[in-house]
Amino acid sequence: MSEKHRADEADRRRRTTDGVASETVNPEQPDAVEVFPEGEFDLRPGADDCYKCTTCETSCPVAAVDKSFPGPKFQGPEQWRLKRKDEIEIDPSISECSNCLRCDTSCPSGVNLAQMHNTARGEYVDNQLSTFSIKYVRNRILANYRTSARLASMFPRTANFVMNFKPVRWAMEKILHVPSERDFPEFATQTFREWWSERGGAQVTNPDKQVAYFHGCYANYNTTEVAKAMVRLYEYFGYEILVPPQKCSGTPMFANGMLDDARRHAETNVENLAAVIEDGADVIASCTSCSMALRNEYPELFDIDGIETLAKNTFDALEYLRIHEDLHGAIQDASVSGEFAEEFAYHAPCHSRNQGLDRQAIELFRDLDGVQIEDVGDSCSGISGTYGWKEEKYEKSMKIGAEMFEHMEAAEGTTGMTECPTCGMQMEHGTGYDVHHPLEVLEAAFVD
Ligand code: SF4
Ligand code: SF4
């Protein structure tokens, strides 16, 4: 059991006896009856801490556009209680939750809604969703994007043609219910890892400033320009970069209730990243959903040696530079010209909000010569990873994203900026704007 969960357990035990440890109250008194038996991870503190204020309900973008969705409080504390009392099954509406985590971010009582929802979704998929159903097969393919991307990147040009070939998309919609309205992202002709090995790995050696890069799937197979920008930027600041073997962060697997798949990937990631941390490196990620998985979701859901070490030493790449370098000072003397000298409409991903990182790009770029940046508000983009890639959820995803599209169009600039690759996809899809990552703009500011 992780430290956090041990602490929760200790806290729970204290609270069951009005703030005094049961062992010290009255040795004669029999143990309290265990009304709700614990699972592998105890979710009871989440249920006990909810005081039904409904803040989470008002922050849920799915509940805002779908009146039949029972909302985060039901999916978390209420369902947990109901289920333990009457041994009922998980309500199928858990599949309608997009895993945006806005409820988790907003709860004033610190209820761990993300952990409760992920656990319920995993249980629903394991026990109630037929593995022969189209929904299960489609969701498993979407959740295991790394597998499809690896295959596609062996023949990237062919894959790029086939995946957006209309008859193929028509068949995918009819058979797998993948909406034909969306454009498949392009696969890079050379993956980031191929590029990394071709350039001979790290160009800077510095045992005092080492970072291990968790690139995730998308920056490796699709937006390799983001990963390369990150490498050049960090080398400019004198960091030695390590690129350990790694698998998917698991984010799309959590969102689809495929917890066994996520665990297999997490085991590899924890083993390899904890080893480099032991040797003195910190871990950085360029995707805010990946950093969130490594630092929050892993210790909430799995018990793997080294998991707490990884959680404590993982950072978003921009966050890390802001902590360890005088980035704001350096920005004052820098300027951007050319492709990235733009007015950006910036969207903070929900998963960056969950880590308290939603203002960092705005704070940084407002002082950068040659760049204008405007925050397009705190609404959800609506795509939530694989959520908007399901036919039955496509309309909902676009309704959720409508506020962001509107604000982007009202902004001065016509180029988008965000840290999340799937939010970027949705921004492009809803407005037609090109979308960039903050690391690309920083590279343009500092690296020749
Ligand atoms: S915001 Fe937190 S405390 Fe309030 S209803 Fe939701 S889970 Fe309960
Ligand atoms: S994770 Fe997002 S969609 Fe799911 S219940 Fe919470 S706010 Fe709603």
Side-chain angles (χ1 to χ4, degrees):
M1 187 179 279
S2 68
E3 280 173 31
K4 178 177 184 301
H5 293 91
R6 264 196 296 274
D8 287 346
E9 171 59 10
D11 186 43
R12 183 187 74 76
R13 285 184 192 287
R14 272 194 302 281
R15 279 181 288 109
T16 54
T17 50
D18 291 335
V20 186
S22 59
E23 292 81 357
T24 61
V25 175
N26 180 358
E28 310 274 315
Q29 203 171 39
D31 286 343
V33 176
E34 199 174 78
V35 181
F36 301 130
E38 296 164 22
E40 189 188 357
F41 287 101
D42 185 10
L43 300 179
R44 184 169 184 157
D48 287 351
D49 290 348
C50 173
Y51 60 94
K52 301 183 172 54
C53 67
T54 71
T55 306
C56 56
E57 313 276 284
T58 54
S59 65
C60 175
V62 172
V65 300
D66 177 359
K67 298 302 169 208
S68 67
F69 181 59
K73 178 160 62 68
F74 172 77
Q75 302 300 347
E78 285 175 3
Q79 178 153 234
W80 188 87
R81 280 197 206 96
L82 283 173
K83 194 172 172 325
R84 261 129 202 94
K85 197 168 166 225
D86 296 333
E87 294 185 357
I88 56 167
E89 293 192 319
I90 298 284
D91 192 271
S93 64
I94 189 66
S95 316
E96 299 306 311
C97 160
S98 72
N99 203 35
C100 70
L101 305 193
R102 293 175 76 86
C103 52
D104 188 272
T105 309
S106 71
C107 175
S109 186
V111 173
N112 200 335
L113 288 153
Q115 185 189 27
M116 299 187 101
H117 295 171
N118 276 327
T119 307
R121 199 164 26 238
E123 207 171 315
Y124 172 72
V125 170
D126 279 354
N127 304 329
Q128 293 162 242
L129 187 63
S130 164
T131 51
F132 297 109
S133 65
I134 293 294
K135 193 172 174 183
Y136 178 88
V137 173
R138 189 264 322 262
N139 291 0
R140 189 117 196 245
I141 293 171
L142 290 175
N144 284 276
Y145 177 70
R146 181 174 183 268
T147 307
S148 342
R150 274 179 84 184
L151 284 173
S153 67
M154 289 175 190
F155 314 98
R157 289 182 183 85
T158 312
N160 289 338
F161 173 74
V162 170
M163 295 308 277
N164 282 312
F165 186 48
K166 281 203 164 36
V168 173
R169 295 305 304 276
W170 179 86
M172 285 179 75
E173 185 167 81
K174 294 293 160 226
I175 300 165
L176 287 174
H177 304 298
V178 172
S180 56
E181 287 90 341
R182 291 208 182 270
D183 294 325
F184 262 101
E186 283 215 349
F187 293 98
T189 49
Q190 182 186 41
T191 67
F192 165 71
R193 293 188 78 92
E194 286 165 354
W195 173 83
W196 176 256
S197 111
E198 193 178 278
R199 87 195 281 257
Q203 304 294 302
V204 170
T205 308
N206 187 349
D208 297 328
K209 284 174 85 171
Q210 282 188 337
V211 287
Y213 179 34
F214 187 83
H215 46 69
C217 305
Y218 208 72
N220 187 40
Y221 296 112
N222 302 92
T223 50
T224 54
E225 63 280 3
V226 172
K228 292 175 197 171
M230 204 233 61
V231 165
R232 292 190 280 250
L233 179 68
Y234 266 69
E235 289 187 342
Y236 169 84
F237 281 101
Y239 287 88
E240 179 174 348
I241 299 164
L242 315 171
V243 184
Q246 54 192 267
K247 291 190 173 172
C248 173
S249 68
T251 306
M253 297 160 190
F254 299 135
N256 285 285
M258 310 283 172
L259 297 189
D260 290 341
D261 289 347
R263 189 187 170 94
R264 274 194 295 279
H265 288 249
E267 279 169 352
T268 302
N269 294 334
V270 173
E271 185 185 340
N272 294 334
L273 297 172
V276 293
I277 292 169
E278 289 301 322
D279 291 340
D282 287 318
V283 174
I284 51 168
S286 49
C287 164
T288 42
S289 295
C290 290
S291 58
M292 189 193 67
L294 303 186
R295 77 208 312 200
N296 294 348
E297 286 169 319
Y298 279 16
E300 285 168 3
L301 296 169
F302 306 131
D303 191 0
I304 302 170
D305 264 358
I307 211 159
E308 293 288 349
T309 304
L310 176 59
K312 281 188 194 131
N313 293 283
T314 296
F315 301 84
D316 164 69
L318 195 52
E319 174 193 23
Y320 191 81
L321 275 188
R322 290 184 81 208
I323 294 170
H324 293 278
E325 304 297 326
D326 179 17
L327 204 50
H328 285 267
I331 282 273
Q332 310 296 328
D333 302 324
S335 67
V336 172
S337 57
E339 188 192 351
F340 294 104
E342 281 285 351
E343 294 183 20
F344 290 99
Y346 172 75
H347 164 76
C350 297
H351 291 175
S352 80
R353 217 169 274 287
N354 192 261
Q355 297 165 79
L357 304 174
D358 46 309
R359 292 290 301 168
Q360 60 173 359
I362 294 287
E363 285 167 9
L364 198 57
F365 292 125
R366 65 184 169 203
D367 294 330
L368 179 58
D369 189 32
V371 165
Q372 301 282 324
I373 186 163
E374 201 173 327
D375 193 338
V376 297
D378 68 351
S379 56
C380 173
S381 76
I383 192 166
S384 291
T386 60
Y387 192 79
W389 279 91
K390 299 170 184 172
E391 190 187 18
E392 72 279 11
K393 299 198 169 73
Y394 174 75
E395 289 301 329
K396 214 185 290 187
S397 152
M398 293 303 282
K399 268 192 200 168
I400 295 171
E403 188 179 327
M404 180 190 73
F405 305 144
E406 213 176 283
H407 290 178
M408 283 180 74
E409 277 154 9
E412 290 291 322
T414 53
T415 305
M417 184 196 281
T418 190
E419 290 95 333
C420 168
T422 53
C423 289
M425 238 181 245
Q426 179 86 328
M427 292 161 84
E428 280 179 20
H429 184 59
T431 61
Y433 293 1
D434 283 340
V435 180
H436 294 290
H437 193 289
L439 291 169
E440 293 178 272
V441 181
L442 277 183
E443 186 205 7
F446 292 113
V447 186
D448 292 335

